[in-house]
Amino acid sequence: MSLPQSALDFMAGHIERARAQRPKMRIVFPEGDDPRVIAAAERLKRDGLVEPILIGPKPVQAPRELAFIDPETSPNVKKYAAIFFERRRSRGVTEVESQMIARKPLYFAKLMVAAGDADGSVGGASTTTAEAVRAGLRCIGTPPAVRTVSSVFFLCVRNRAFGHNGVLALSDCAINIEPTAVQLAEIALATAQSVRTLLKIEPVVALLSFSTKGSGKHKATEKVVEALRIVRARAPELHADGELQADAALVPAVGRSKAPGSTVAGSANTLIFPDLASANIACKMVERLGDAAAIGPFLQGLARAGNDLSRGCSVDDIYNVGVVTAIQAEAFR
């Protein structure tokens, strides 16, 4: 079945933005021995979108134009090990252990980004999300004011009246199982920034719940209300409201009825879910039952660009994540 036009437009816009970047973003792929990664990297290089760097010995049949770095022979291992040791010595990691860890392809790639030798990383074709996030946190870390790494999906639906021309940001669908109010606020702030970076629009943020403006009383709704208070304290300029039910956030008539006076209700383009279960279920149900396209997840909250892949990813998936990572990386230049 064909993709929604909103999804095609989403990726076409990012491809053009990546093509226009000067110089090209250096995106490192730790799974340089994976045929899917090699094929995607070759396309990215050929299309003039990124400067791919693959980690591992160069396979005999690999395209000549692709750059490979083998951690076992790289002169930068000592530099990367020193970075890792400084970051983790307080946790009891030794210099010898740092030397061993820096040779692992996933960690080598993340340390390249931390050192400024690459602009972003795309990994996870053969590792779990937990491993990818753990490596990102240990090697790249978060900005000083951020403690929560989260994820965002861009859900592209066929009805262009919803969100931004049929594109909505959903978070957190992949990482934080039961975020606290503080974590939920940080997820909302990070997702708002992702919307600004990737959609180039001002986010309209709805913090979702089963209740709208006190219609239901429970500790779960109180958490969302507290998260909104924190969001407004940290970013008073942000267009955000909650707690809102999904229909109140998305449908103008319902928004006017359930949350009169709210400037977010009925026009949200950024949906923040109270927990991983509701976010993941909603995203997958809309994707399957609503014939939508869920593009992502993309990691947010790290100090540099780094994204995860599904172990079942296709060449197209890797290509698309590589493109979006290049756009994210531009914000850290």
Side-chain angles (χ1 to χ4, degrees):
M1 192 170 290
S2 62
L3 290 173
Q5 189 61 43
S6 56
L8 297 174
D9 290 347
F10 177 87
M11 283 311 307
H14 286 88
I15 286 170
E16 289 310 308
R17 287 175 66 183
R19 185 170 283 123
Q21 288 177 329
R22 296 290 186 276
K24 298 301 178 189
M25 294 295 168
R26 301 160 299 171
I27 306 300
V28 59
F29 297 83
E31 291 129 339
D33 60 344
D34 190 306
R36 297 168 298 172
V37 172
I38 294 172
E42 182 183 21
R43 276 179 58 193
L44 289 164
K45 175 79 171 181
R46 183 178 66 243
D47 292 350
L49 303 180
V50 306
E51 194 61 47
I53 304 167
L54 284 73
I55 303 305
K58 188 169 187 173
V60 174
Q61 300 300 323
R64 182 188 303 176
E65 65 271 17
L66 290 182
F68 284 77
I69 298 177
D70 185 353
E72 292 299 329
T73 58
S74 171
N76 286 329
V77 165
K78 287 185 178 180
K79 177 174 75 171
Y80 297 158
I83 292 172
F84 190 81
F85 177 65
E86 285 303 313
R87 288 183 176 277
R88 303 297 295 175
R89 65 191 302 178
S90 64
R91 300 299 183 93
V93 175
T94 67
E95 291 184 87
V96 172
E97 289 171 329
S98 297
Q99 290 280 345
M100 295 172 58
I101 291 168
R103 286 181 166 82
K104 295 181 178 180
L106 180 61
Y107 280 79
F108 186 93
K110 300 295 184 184
L111 288 165
M112 279 190 73
V113 176
D117 294 334
D119 300 299
S121 66
V122 174
S126 61
T127 57
T128 66
T129 294
E131 290 174 298
V133 172
R134 191 179 302 118
L137 283 169
R138 291 175 176 175
C139 299
I140 299 173
T142 61
V146 175
R147 292 292 180 271
T148 305
V149 172
S150 58
S151 69
V152 60
F153 270 94
F154 288 92
L155 188 65
C156 303
V157 299
R158 294 188 181 273
N159 188 338
R160 311 284 300 255
F162 290 115
H164 175 65
N165 294 325
V167 181
L168 301 107
L170 275 60
S171 188
D172 174 14
C173 305
I175 296 178
N176 296 282
I177 298 175
E178 291 185 351
T180 65
V182 172
Q183 290 174 321
L184 198 60
E186 291 199 336
I187 290 168
L189 294 170
T191 307
Q193 187 55 50
S194 292
V195 168
R196 291 189 184 103
T197 299
L198 296 175
L199 294 183
K200 300 187 77 173
I201 61 169
E202 191 58 28
V204 181
V205 182
L207 282 80
L208 300 181
S209 179
F210 61 82
S211 164
T212 296
K213 296 297 182 180
S215 64
K217 299 293 185 182
H218 189 271
K219 62 181 181 180
T221 64
E222 292 170 2
K223 179 180 77 170
V224 177
V225 171
E226 175 62 12
L228 177 65
R229 186 195 66 77
I230 297 168
V231 166
R232 287 178 169 170
R234 293 190 185 183
E237 78 289 350
L238 182 63
H239 203 35
D241 202 3
E243 84 282 19
L244 296 172
Q245 290 166 286
D247 56 353
L250 294 170
V251 183
V254 178
R256 288 192 297 270
S257 173
K258 291 187 174 183
S262 172
T263 57
V264 170
S267 60
N269 55 37
T270 305
L271 306 179
I272 307 302
F273 290 80
D275 53 50
L276 179 61
S278 59
N280 190 277
I281 291 167
C283 185
K284 292 183 183 298
M285 285 189 70
V286 174
E287 182 182 19
R288 300 300 180 181
L289 300 181
D291 193 21
I295 302 175
F298 303 108
L299 298 185
Q300 50 191 21
L302 291 172
R304 301 290 298 273
N307 281 312
D308 180 39
L309 295 166
S310 165
R311 282 171 287 176
C313 60
S314 66
V315 173
D316 285 343
D317 293 332
I318 301 168
Y319 180 91
N320 290 340
V321 173
V323 170
V324 174
T325 304
I327 305 303
Q328 289 177 309
E330 191 171 40
F332 297 103
R333 226 178 215 178

